[in-house]
Amino acid sequence: MNKLYGLLGHPVGHSMSPLMHNDAFTHLGMKGYYHAFDVPEVELKEAVDAFRLLNISGFNVTIPHKVAIMNLLDEIDEEAVMIGAVNTVVNMDGRYIGYNTDGRGYLTSLLKTIDRPLHECNVLVIGAGGAARGVATVLANEGVALLTIANRTITKAIEIKDNYQSYRHANITVVSMSEAEDNLGLYDIVINTTSIGMSPNVNDVPISIQHAKPSVVLSDLIYNPILTKWLIQGEAKGLKTHNGVGMFVEQGALAFQLWTGKYPDTERMTELVRKQLGGFTC
Ligand code: NAP
């Protein structure tokens, strides 16, 4: 019998997760089917109750439910608790266990791009929303040399730092956007986790790269467009760049592995996503 998996979000019409996961089930010869469920915030509890009733084998959770889902689960993995959000739920003998694969997915993708150990890298995270929490937590857990967070609303960056340090010690600093811009030369990896660069802000950049060091890696979580204006500026300057396609694929692959015990072919997944986005190189 087919096992049913899903995505809970609102809206979900644009999601490439069904394409990616259903192809992986077929490619691996597994009986699984993944469907995107469009569920508004007020119906989240009913949707999870219905999933339990139908014994849904596992699901992803996306905007706007990544935090609210946590109260509806039976157990939450330690890193997801530290991040404060869940994007993957596994049905373990009728109990729903929450995980967060966004941060680990990002890390797996980043490690394919950088050629220095993370513990030697000073990292600047721009932004302090949900995605920043996952990325910052995992990078701090990996032990980067310095982790700095800058955000338009600085109190949100301070919240991420304080939250992390309530669990573990790490060298985390918070700076204003203008301080980050002036001191950009300090950083080996600069990560844009804001939505600046995606529609409707495709002509904006999150931070000036005027003071970036030549060996810096510019990393943008955005994958649509595949190359944001910021990454195009970086490439024009000869800087190494890294886009969000890898994170999207790897977070999905890690979720698939949690559900099935099998790690899917991520090159195949990347190719599918790339084609769906219009065939650009990524
Ligand atoms: P979010 O929780 O809404 O956070 C948005 C962040 O962007 C906040 O830091 C916000 O700053 C900042 N921001 C938004 N508009 C801004 C503006 N005009 N000027 C300055 N700062 C602005 O969103 P999220 O879930 O973290 O997602 C952020 C981005 O990551 C999105 O582009 C999303 O597509 C991408 N993402 C990619 C993946 C992937 O798999 N590749 C996964 C998750 C997310 P304030 O705090 O000041 O409002």
Side-chain angles (χ1 to χ4, degrees), residues 254-272:
L254 291 171
F256 191 95
Q257 187 181 35
L258 283 167
W259 296 325
T260 66
K262 294 209 163 87
Y263 194 73
D265 180 343
T266 50
E267 276 182 32
R268 190 180 164 90
M269 284 175 150
T270 304
E271 189 61 19
L272 268 178

Side-chain angles (χ1 to χ4, degrees), residues 1-133:
M1 201 177 76
N2 256 356
K3 286 192 169 182
L4 188 57
Y5 299 85
L7 169 68
L8 271 182
H10 181 66
V12 292
H14 63 285
S15 174
M16 285 180 285
S17 294
L19 175 79
M20 200 166 74
H21 288 297
N22 285 325
D23 180 76
F25 284 127
T26 308
H27 185 62
L28 288 165
M30 296 174 73
K31 290 195 167 186
Y33 183 74
Y34 184 105
H35 182 78
F37 295 89
D38 193 334
V39 174
E41 276 162 290
V42 288
E43 287 170 12
L44 181 64
K45 184 176 178 319
E46 281 162 285
V48 174
D49 287 345
F51 274 22
R52 286 184 191 277
L53 195 67
L54 297 170
N55 200 27
I56 301 286
S57 300
F59 56 96
N60 285 132
V61 186
T62 189
I63 290 173
H65 306 313
K66 286 186 183 183
V67 177
I69 193 77
M70 296 176 82
N71 285 328
L72 304 172
L73 304 175
D74 301 302
E75 194 180 320
I76 298 170
D77 162 75
E78 190 190 353
E79 197 161 76
V81 172
M82 289 180 77
I83 291 169
V86 158
N87 81 325
T88 300
V89 177
V90 180
N91 182 342
M92 225 161 278
D93 302 323
R95 299 181 75 245
Y96 275 153
I97 321 286
Y99 296 85
N100 190 310
T101 66
D102 282 334
R104 291 275 143 202
Y106 174 76
L107 178 70
T108 307
S109 171
L110 180 72
L111 290 175
K112 290 179 185 169
T113 301
I114 60 173
D115 43 25
R116 286 177 67 182
L118 271 180
H119 68 263
E120 289 177 10
C121 294
N122 292 340
V123 181
L124 172 65
V125 172
I126 306 163
R133 290 181 83 96

